[in-house]
Amino acid sequence: MYFNEANNFYHGIMFHHFHDDGIHTKGQGSISQDDLYKLIKFIGRSNILDADVFFKKFKEKKLNKREVCLTFDDGIKCQIDVALPVLEDFKIKSFFFVYTSLFRGGGGQPDNLEIFRYFRMNYFNNVNDFYINFYNVLNKDLSNFFKNNEEKIKNNKIKFPHYSVEDIKFRLVRDIFLKKSDYENIMFLMINEKKFKYKKFYSKLFFSDEDLRNLNKLGHTIGLHSHSHPTLMEKLDYSDQEKEYKKCVSIISKILGKSGDTIKYMSHPCGSYNEDTLQILKKLGIELGFKQIMTIEKEKGMNKINNSFLEIARQDHADIIKRMN
Ligand SMILES: [Zn+2]
């Protein structure tokens, strides 16, 4: 049974990665087509609203506790290849939130995160093998850094139970010890060494302009997810945030051939935003925004739930799969 006291505040289910037997390799947090079928049955088909119906009921304050919508972030191709056939099978129309730098009309520059993820999973025996290689190239003594962050490592292990300690340590090195550009330099060194021709994979890993038009034609709802997908939007100043969202509106509307003011939906990249973000989104006429909340955060009272129409809570599919097993 999906719905219970601890869960009733979620109105969106959030999906990212799917795997199959082909190009979309299994990785952290990815689910199969079969898992998606089971998950939809677990929630109950009749509790899942089409995106446009969800929006309408939300506006009219007629949503009941047991009504959710499905949302897909980041314009990753596995959503088209693996998830879309299931959605069509069940006749479920969903939200797709895309960042626009990945589109031809947006510069054709997808977020390196996805490329790095593919590289990590396909060019090494396992993820720990990757970490060992990475630390070799980095060639720095990290013992003090890990010692100083002992508390943080422990806390993160509680907050993200599906990560191993090695996963958490790597993320701390990536996000705190290194500057973004240093981290990316190391990754591209490794990529060149292994002769991974990543640009050839763009079309296999990311949505094309045609994919976006096709989703729109099928009746799915396309929404904003910034232009370049900053991991911490809340750290950008007002004008940079405004550029992120204005660019996103203009590229999506150009690709879909509709005017920008018809796009009324968004999700916050990595769940990060601040007061400026909300003000910008209101100014752009956005009427529905989603964030993500970990169940654990809710339990700790770390986050207010559904505190405005631009902050609707979503649950990660990985958390639901865990409850099904
Ligand atoms: Zn995202």
Side-chain angles (χ1 to χ4, degrees):
M1 186 66 178
Y2 173 70
F3 295 93
N4 60 30
E5 244 352 276
N7 249 80
N8 269 344
F9 58 88
Y10 287 119
H11 277 304
I13 314 295
M14 176 176 69
F15 296 95
H16 281 98
H17 291 97
F18 296 86
H19 58 257
D20 59 18
D21 297 329
I23 178 107
H24 305 301
T25 19
K26 192 171 174 175
Q28 278 158 338
S30 74
I31 66 171
S32 69
Q33 202 164 59
D34 213 41
D35 293 330
L36 181 57
Y37 271 107
K38 286 184 192 146
L39 190 145
I40 289 172
K41 284 180 184 155
F42 181 65
I43 294 173
R45 170 64 186 94
S46 58
N47 298 318
I48 301 172
L49 302 183
D50 284 349
D52 54 347
V53 176
F54 181 91
F55 179 62
K56 193 163 173 279
K57 286 188 111 169
F58 176 80
K59 293 280 295 175
E60 293 167 354
K61 298 191 166 53
K62 284 184 180 157
L63 271 185
N64 75 41
K65 272 187 186 174
R66 297 199 162 194
E67 287 174 324
V68 296
C69 59
L70 306 188
T71 73
F72 297 80
D73 281 11
D74 295 348
I76 346 180
K77 192 79 161 190
C78 58
Q79 297 168 357
I80 303 276
D81 295 342
V82 183
L84 185 59
V86 181
L87 299 181
E88 291 304 302
D89 196 10
F90 278 111
K91 298 191 168 57
I92 297 172
K93 306 301 173 193
S94 305
F95 285 105
F96 286 84
F97 298 113
V98 295
Y99 69 93
T100 41
S101 69
L102 68 88
F103 294 104
R104 213 184 311 126
Q109 193 58 254
D111 190 20
N112 288 326
L113 264 180
E114 204 59 38
I115 296 295
F116 295 163
R117 183 180 190 272
Y118 184 84
F119 177 62
R120 202 168 62 219
M121 288 181 336
N122 289 279
Y123 284 77
F124 300 89
N125 294 325
N126 53 52
V127 72
N128 288 330
D129 182 28
F130 163 79
Y131 294 148
I132 291 167
N133 269 270
F134 182 88
Y135 293 134
N136 273 338
V137 178
L138 174 63
N139 198 19
K140 287 253 164 71
D141 183 6
L142 293 167
S143 48
N144 269 335
F145 175 73
F146 288 141
K147 212 168 169 187
N148 294 337
N149 281 290
E150 242 166 51
E151 196 64 19
K152 199 168 213 154
I153 294 168
K154 234 187 275 165
N155 287 340
N156 280 1
K157 183 69 189 129
I158 299 168
K159 207 166 151 192
F160 307 106
H162 53 286
Y163 285 156
S164 72
V165 172
E166 284 309 313
D167 294 337
I168 289 167
K169 284 178 159 180
F170 173 73
R171 281 164 174 75
L172 287 180
V173 172
R174 180 189 68 186
D175 301 337
I176 297 174
F177 185 78
L178 293 172
K179 277 193 299 212
K180 191 179 179 197
S181 55
D182 294 333
Y183 165 67
E184 299 207 328
N185 285 341
I186 294 173
M187 288 303 291
F188 283 117
L189 268 175
M190 293 170 76
I191 282 174
N192 288 336
E193 200 173 294
K194 296 245 182 199
K195 298 189 168 50
F196 169 39
K197 301 276 176 255
Y198 60 95
K199 285 193 179 165
K200 285 195 182 143
F201 285 78
Y202 280 0
S203 65
K204 292 184 170 132
L205 295 179
F206 301 101
F207 282 16
S208 64
D209 296 25
E210 288 70 29
D211 287 328
L212 202 65
R213 281 193 282 271
N214 188 38
L215 285 172
N216 182 56
K217 212 164 66 193
L218 286 169
H220 298 280
T221 299
I222 314 292
L224 314 181
H225 197 52
S226 82
H227 177 65
S228 70
H229 203 283
T231 34
L232 280 174
M233 183 66 80
E234 67 202 75
K235 296 271 185 235
L236 301 187
D237 65 27
Y238 187 97
S239 80
D240 283 340
Q241 291 196 32
E242 192 175 37
K243 271 183 222 149
E244 281 288 338
Y245 281 108
K246 277 192 167 166
K247 222 167 173 181
C248 186
V249 172
S250 106
I251 293 166
I252 291 176
S253 56
K254 214 177 276 168
I255 294 174
L256 298 183
K258 36 173 152 180
S259 87
D261 55 16
T262 59
I263 303 168
K264 305 213 168 291
Y265 335 88
M266 65 83 59
S267 73
H268 298 282
C270 303
S272 169
Y273 62 91
N274 59 17
E275 278 309 316
D276 286 347
T277 327
L278 302 180
Q279 208 177 40
I280 290 161
L281 293 170
K282 280 175 202 162
K283 244 173 70 185
L284 287 172
I286 303 302
E287 295 180 18
L288 178 63
F290 293 92
K291 63 177 177 181
Q292 51 248 49
I293 302 182
M294 309 282 299
T295 313
I296 189 97
E297 288 178 278
K298 146 90 161 92
E299 281 162 5
K300 286 187 167 180
M302 283 156 69
N303 244 311
K304 286 186 198 150
I305 311 296
N306 298 320
N307 37 345
S308 84
F309 65 93
L310 295 174
E311 300 166 277
I312 302 301
R314 296 186 294 175
Q315 187 167 37
D316 192 287
H317 64 72
D319 290 346
I320 304 171
I321 295 276
K322 235 180 288 154
R323 289 183 40 210
M324 290 162 54
N325 294 330

